[in-house]
Amino acid sequence: MNQPSAKVAVIGGGVAGATIALRFSELGIDTTVIEQGDTLVNGPPFCHLHAGGNFYREISDEQCLTLLQQAIETAKVFPLAINARATLVALPKTEKTEPLDLLPRLSKLRERYSQLVKDDASNKVLGEPDEYFELYSQAQLQALAKSPLPTKITKRSDWLIAFAKHVDMSKLKFPLVLVQEYGWSAFRIAAIAELAQQNLASCHIKLASKVTGISPRVAPDGWQLTIENQHTKATSQLDFDYVINACGFKSGEIDDLININRQRMVEFKAAYVAHWPQCQGLWPEVLFYGERGTPQGMAQLTPYHNGYFQLHGMTKEITLFEQGLVASNNNSAQPKLPQIFLDKIYHQWPAATVQSRTLGAIKHISQFIPEFLSAQVYGKPMFGAQQIPGEDPDLRAMSASFCHKRYARAEIVKASSALNAADAILRDLLNGGLVDSNQLGDGLDKHYFPVTQACKEKQVTELALAYAKARGYPAELAVNLL
């Protein structure tokens, strides 16, 4: 690719910032990532690709279709980070709705996936379109419970055997839904981003660096950033033609520096890590639907190797927190989280809180899988604050916004929306005359990632394992299930 002249700053090296930087620098755009932490992609936990938004009954069909398309693009660009295991959706008998109420949306998603594959065969990254979802009756599950545990998956029903042997079927409505929503690993994305940028001359990474000031540049248009090294406290100033705010839950701080207001919310949430030594067999990700914020909130079981699981419980005693959802106001674009949550983000969780909330998550899962009650608390939760632009707390499909010349915000809620944000910002660069479409070639309309996709499985795994260890999590969370 030819080298466009624009110099772009990406403030924030989370999944959004890292993805944008890779997208731009693969096209030869001079891109600098300014990240306050010591590594890339070290923000709120993500473990699920959301290929269709089946976690979120409350969002619109259109958001679900958008999430499906974004997930497909993500799986194509980052195949080494994708955990190709199915997701099982179950409705407890306490639910007011019925499993068959899910069919209209699932059918729309299957139809859209089928059309995307017909349009471009490379879109077939979620299995066969006809198998996007499948229903299982109680009789089928009872039969599967008598089958031997498979050591590898040879047919889709193999995903249900371990589950069928342990679940309390009397607690569930039937049929169950097996859907091709895969998982993906934050540790592996971090590793891919680190390895790729080492081989991209246009990509520059400034770690342990915080933007403390932004001034508009008069001629030519652009911005001057004041950057403080978080270790030495030394400051420097750098000029850029375009600035991208990819600061996640702290995006409002950058908006405040340039006196731009923005209605947004921030929600602190956590997932918990448990070890179930007695676990055998291969498990799907399992969702037990429930009403968010109530004692029967959704329970989510995310499997990894050797009996390790990541747990969510959408109750105020597990994943959600009282006063954990805050909004911006007319005085600041930055929602103010209570100090108790900032202490968790920047310092350490109280041991008693880790114990009580993880045990609460284990108990929440065990109401459906009784033997899971023997699972043990591993330790450090996976946690963070999630930005939600606007005023709708249920918004899940969002990419980027533009409110000032040569300034963009990456406002993703789900990690798989990062590529969409990069595409939208790239078009703004083009429309602003900062890049030439002739220089970009077909990279404007297609995801051009030759260096990123040249990363080797062995290197990605080694670095992902190192990240998991350094951040205090089990090695199993950095290795794909299959």
Side-chain angles (χ1 to χ4, degrees), residues 242-246 400-404 406-410 425 428:
Y242 194 101
V243 167
I244 299 167
N245 177 354
S401 68
F402 308 90
C403 62
H404 195 291
R406 300 197 178 197
Y407 176 76
R409 305 186 195 92
I425 298 169
D428 194 56

Side-chain angles (χ1 to χ4, degrees), residues 374-401:
S374 64
Q376 304 160 1
V377 177
Y378 174 78
K380 184 179 178 182
M382 303 186 79
F383 59 92
Q386 180 182 67
Q387 68 169 333
I388 308 172
E391 300 178 341
D392 178 8
D394 293 332
L395 179 69
R396 291 297 177 267
M398 181 63 183
S399 59
S401 68

